[in-house]
Amino acid sequence: LGLIANWLGGLSIFILNIDVWRSQGWVHAKILLVFIAAGLTGALTADLKKIDEGKREANPTKLQIFGGALVLLLILTLYLAAFKPFVRG
């Protein structure tokens, strides 16, 4: 429920200010990174659920890659939000 509320809140802020965000290239990149992070989180959650149910053996390397990718996406998203590159006019 919290995840849904977070997505709805973020999208409503984006939609209400759509004219401002159109000229902000960093927002497009940030949204893409957020969608990728959400997909990776969903895939990791499904994988961990299968491991917990005993349907799959834990693969530490795969879990480290998932974790590292999520941290990298977090850092890139924070960079985009803090420094706002790709701003037009």
Side-chain angles (χ1 to χ4, degrees), residues 22-43:
R22 283 190 179 146
S23 64
Q24 307 289 324
W26 67 272
V27 174
H28 300 103
K30 181 182 169 197
I31 290 172
L32 176 65
L33 292 177
V34 168
F35 276 115
I36 292 169
L40 280 175
T41 302

Side-chain angles (χ1 to χ4, degrees), residues 25-63:
W26 67 272
V27 174
H28 300 103
K30 181 182 169 197
I31 290 172
L32 176 65
L33 292 177
V34 168
F35 276 115
I36 292 169
L40 280 175
T41 302
L44 179 59
T45 302
D47 201 36
L48 289 174
K49 186 176 180 181
K50 288 178 184 175
I51 291 168
D52 187 47
E53 293 171 350
K55 295 179 182 177
R56 180 179 296 165
E57 285 290 317
N59 183 347
T61 304
K62 182 179 177 183
L63 296 175

Side-chain angles (χ1 to χ4, degrees), residues 2-18:
L3 180 64
I4 294 170
N6 193 17
W7 272 100
L8 290 176
L11 288 175
S12 65
I13 290 170
F14 180 74
I15 290 169
L16 291 173
N17 298 307
I18 193 74

